[in-house]
Amino acid sequence: MSQKVYTIRWGILATGGIAATFTKDLLANPSTRDVHDVAHEVVAAASSSSSFRAQQFLSECGAPSSAAAYGTYKELVQDKNIDIIYVATPHSHHFQNTMLCLEAGKHVLCEKAFTVNAAQAKILVETAQKRRLFLMEAVWTRYFPLSIQVRRLVTDGKIGTVHRVIADNSFGEDVEEKWGTKDRMVNMDLAGGAMLDLGIYSLTWVFQILYHLQPASTRQPPTVASSISTYPLTGVDEMTSIILNFPTANQTSTHGIALTNFRVATDPDGHGTTGPPIRIQGTKGEIQVYGPAYRPTKYRIIMREGRGEEDVEYVECPIPGQGMFWEADECARCVRDGKLESEGLSLGESVVIMEVVDEVRRQNGLRYPKKIESTE
C-alpha cells in the first residue's frame, strides 16, 4: 500500500534572492531527491513594496498561476490557505516579521540568523510554544544528507572521541568596491557583518557536532573567547574569530573554533586547493568536509592507523538543486506529525547560538542600532 503524501502550503514573506532560491527549490519535484512522503505547494508571496513585485516574483520562480500576490506582509499572514510562512527578510527584521506570522496563527520557517539577539529569539520561542505553532530557524545545512551522515559517523564513534572542530566560512572580497556602505552585508541598520551572515555557518558546524550530539540532559552552553575586526566605513564586523569551550558529561571539554572573514577566502581559487573548511578531529581519526561550509558536497575520513592517501575514504554527496528543499521537507514532516520544533535544530539550541553571538558582540563592543535590537 502506497504512503499518503502530505502536502504543506507555503507563503513566502519577502521577494529577494534567498526567497527566490528557496521558492524554486520548493517547486522541484520531491522524487528527484528520493522524497515520497511530503510535497510542497506555493500558494502566496508578499513584497513590502507592491503586489506587482510579488506577482513578478511568483512568475519568475515558476509558481502556479493560482498563487496569490500581496503588497503587504499583513495581507499574507491573513491568508487562510497558508499553513507555514518562510521569512526571508534581512536579520534585522526577523523578529518583527516572525512575530507577525505567529500572532496570525501561522507556522514559521525563519531564515538564519534567527534574530539579532537572544532576547528576541526567546520571545519568538515562547510565543510559538504558547500558541502551539511550529517554529524553526532555516539553517538549511543541518538537513543535508551529508550533514546527517557526518553526525551519525561521530555518534557511532567512527573517529573516536571528538575533541575539536574547526570551521571557516570566509569570502575574500574587495569590500569597499563590492559592498560600499549601503549593501545589506555591511549595513549596520540591517544587522550586517560577517558573523551573522557567514559566521553563522561556522558556528553551525561547531554546534551540530560539539553541542547537538551531547545528551540533551547534559548539554551546557560553551564559554566564549573572541576577537572582532570592524569595517571602517560602517562599523560592522568584517573578521570574527571565536573559540568555544564546551563542557562534557565526563568532566572534560571540547573546543570549537569558528572563523569568518570578508577580506580573505576559505577557498581562494574556488577549487578546494587550500583543503577542507571543516575539520572534525577525534581520537581515532578526522572527518574533513569539503565545499563551502553552507553547501558542502563531499567529505573524507582519515583514520590514525591509515597508510596514507590509499586508505582515505572519500564520500561524494551530490545535491540535485540548490539544497534548500531538505529543510522544507523537515518542516512538512514536523507540521504533519504535530511537532513544534525540529530534532535537527531545536529552538533551545538556536537560542544558545544567539547567546554566543551576544557574548561575542559584548566582548568586542559591537552594538547594533537600538531600533533593530528592540523586542517591541
Side-chain angles (χ1 to χ4, degrees), residues 38-39 58 91 119 132 158 165 177 191 221 246 250 261 312 317 358 365:
V38 295
L58 289 166
H91 324 308
R132 305 293 297 170
K158 175 69 175 180
V165 175
E177 176 67 25
F246 291 85
N250 61 4
N261 197 310
V312 175
C317 298
D358 281 357

Side-chain angles (χ1 to χ4, degrees), residues 166-302:
I166 305 167
D168 180 32
N169 188 37
S170 300
F171 273 12
E173 301 289 355
D174 183 333
V175 187
E176 290 82 1
E177 176 67 25
K178 184 168 185 177
W179 295 322
T181 60
K182 300 298 183 183
D183 190 277
R184 70 168 186 87
M185 294 292 286
V186 295
N187 189 333
M188 190 70 87
D189 288 336
L190 297 178
M195 180 163 54
L196 285 186
D197 205 276
L198 308 183
I200 207 73
Y201 290 108
S202 304
L203 287 170
T204 289
W205 277 100
V206 168
F207 263 84
Q208 73 172 327
I209 302 301
L210 299 182
Y211 183 86
H212 181 76
L213 296 184
Q214 291 188 41
S217 60
T218 62
R219 288 178 192 155
Q220 297 181 55
T223 57
V224 181
S226 65
S227 182
I228 280 178
S229 293
T230 56
Y231 179 47
L233 298 187
T234 65
V236 301
D237 68 296
E238 65 173 30
M239 175 169 64
T240 298
S241 302
I242 307 169
I243 300 177
L244 301 178
N245 187 320
F246 291 85
T248 62
N250 61 4
Q251 306 302 312
T252 61
S253 63
T254 58
H255 286 184
I257 302 168
L259 307 170
T260 187
N261 197 310
F262 277 164
R263 295 189 187 275
V264 299
T266 306
D267 185 12
D269 63 7
H271 297 290
T273 308
T274 54
I278 297 107
R279 298 178 66 184
I280 302 165
Q281 299 174 315
T283 53
K284 295 182 180 178
E286 176 172 323
I287 298 172
Q288 299 182 339
V289 180
Y290 285 81
Y294 52 88
R295 192 177 180 271
T297 55
K298 62 182 177 181
Y299 64 90
R300 66 178 191 167
I301 305 170
I302 304 171

Side-chain angles (χ1 to χ4, degrees), residues 65-361:
S65 58
S66 58
Y70 297 112
T72 68
Y73 298 155
K74 187 175 181 179
E75 290 176 284
L76 178 77
V77 303
Q78 292 172 343
D79 189 325
K80 295 181 179 180
N81 293 318
I82 295 172
D83 299 315
I84 187 169
I85 293 176
Y86 171 59
V87 174
T89 47
H91 324 308
S92 52
H93 293 61
H94 286 177
F95 173 69
Q96 290 80 6
N97 295 154
T98 299
M99 279 295 290
L100 180 69
C101 298
L102 294 174
E103 289 174 345
K106 302 300 186 186
H107 304 296
V108 179
L109 173 65
C110 176
E111 200 33 81
K112 58 81 199 160
F114 199 25
T115 51
V116 172
N117 56 46
Q120 292 178 343
K122 290 174 183 177
I123 292 172
L124 292 183
V125 171
E126 290 167 2
T127 302
Q129 293 180 339
K130 182 179 180 180
R131 293 174 176 266
R132 305 293 297 170
L133 294 168
F134 174 78
L135 174 63
M136 188 176 101
E137 182 182 8
V139 184
W140 58 318
T141 314
R142 286 273 184 135
Y143 301 95
F144 285 13
L146 180 148
S147 299
I148 295 169
Q149 290 175 30
V150 168
R151 293 199 299 269
R152 186 177 298 122
L153 286 167
V154 172
T155 300
D156 292 345
K158 175 69 175 180
I159 58 171
T161 302
V162 172
H163 284 276
R164 185 169 65 184
V165 175
I166 305 167
D168 180 32
N169 188 37
S170 300
F171 273 12
E173 301 289 355
D174 183 333
V175 187
E176 290 82 1
E177 176 67 25
K178 184 168 185 177
W179 295 322
T181 60
K182 300 298 183 183
D183 190 277
R184 70 168 186 87
M185 294 292 286
V186 295
N187 189 333
M188 190 70 87
D189 288 336
L190 297 178
M195 180 163 54
L196 285 186
D197 205 276
L198 308 183
I200 207 73
Y201 290 108
S202 304
L203 287 170
T204 289
W205 277 100
V206 168
F207 263 84
Q208 73 172 327
I209 302 301
L210 299 182
Y211 183 86
H212 181 76
L213 296 184
Q214 291 188 41
S217 60
T218 62
R219 288 178 192 155
Q220 297 181 55
T223 57
V224 181
S226 65
S227 182
I228 280 178
S229 293
T230 56
Y231 179 47
L233 298 187
T234 65
V236 301
D237 68 296
E238 65 173 30
M239 175 169 64
T240 298
S241 302
I242 307 169
I243 300 177
L244 301 178
N245 187 320
F246 291 85
T248 62
N250 61 4
Q251 306 302 312
T252 61
S253 63
T254 58
H255 286 184
I257 302 168
L259 307 170
T260 187
N261 197 310
F262 277 164
R263 295 189 187 275
V264 299
T266 306
D267 185 12
D269 63 7
H271 297 290
T273 308
T274 54
I278 297 107
R279 298 178 66 184
I280 302 165
Q281 299 174 315
T283 53
K284 295 182 180 178
E286 176 172 323
I287 298 172
Q288 299 182 339
V289 180
Y290 285 81
Y294 52 88
R295 192 177 180 271
T297 55
K298 62 182 177 181
Y299 64 90
R300 66 178 191 167
I301 305 170
I302 304 171
M303 303 303 294
R304 284 189 64 178
E305 69 273 15
R307 296 167 295 177
E309 195 67 30
E310 62 184 286
D311 286 338
V312 175
E313 180 181 353
Y314 287 83
V315 181
E316 299 277 350
C317 298
I319 300 174
Q322 186 63 23
M324 301 190 83
F325 34 61
W326 284 309
E327 64 179 354
D329 294 341
E330 173 71 4
C331 291
R333 294 184 182 112
C334 287
V335 172
R336 177 195 65 191
D337 298 341
K339 295 180 179 180
L340 302 184
E341 60 185 324
S342 167
E343 294 176 6
L345 176 58
S346 71
L347 294 171
E349 186 170 347
S350 286
V351 169
V352 172
I353 292 172
M354 289 312 305
E355 289 175 335
V356 166
V357 170
D358 281 357
E359 177 59 16
V360 172
R361 291 201 293 128

